[in-house]
Amino acid sequence: EAAYGGDLNSAVFTGWSVFLARHEFSAERTGVDLGGEWDFELALGLGEHAELAFQIADYDGPGGAVAPADRTKQWVVLSYKD
């Protein structure tokens, strides 16, 4: 897991951060491999109260007939705080 960030001198963006993590999944009782996932986020500050984030999750299942399907999902989050 790693995270970095900094300030931006821009008319629109006030700062940025990047987050990257790797997860390995296994069954609690049997220890069977359930695959792994990469998570990535790029967040941009919008003034003092708002943030725009782009997030990606990429899951790679272990294979096999009953294993969860591989999936990649992306989404955008706009946050506002007082």
Side-chain angles (χ1 to χ4, degrees), residues 6-17 42-54 76-78:
D7 294 328
L8 289 175
N9 292 325
S10 166
V12 177
F13 303 114
T14 57
W16 64 276
S17 65
L42 171 63
L44 301 168
L46 301 171
E48 291 184 36
H49 301 285
E51 180 179 85
L52 180 64
F54 303 92
V76 177
V77 178
L78 179 60

Side-chain angles (χ1 to χ4, degrees), residues 1 3 6 9 11 20 22-25 27 29 35 45-48 53 59-60 64 67 75-76 78 81:
E1 190 172 298
N9 292 325
L20 179 67
R22 173 76 180 164
H23 306 281
E24 293 293 332
F25 302 108
R29 290 190 319 185
L46 301 171
E48 291 184 36
Y59 172 76
D60 183 22
W75 59 99
V76 177
L78 179 60
K81 58 185 172 187

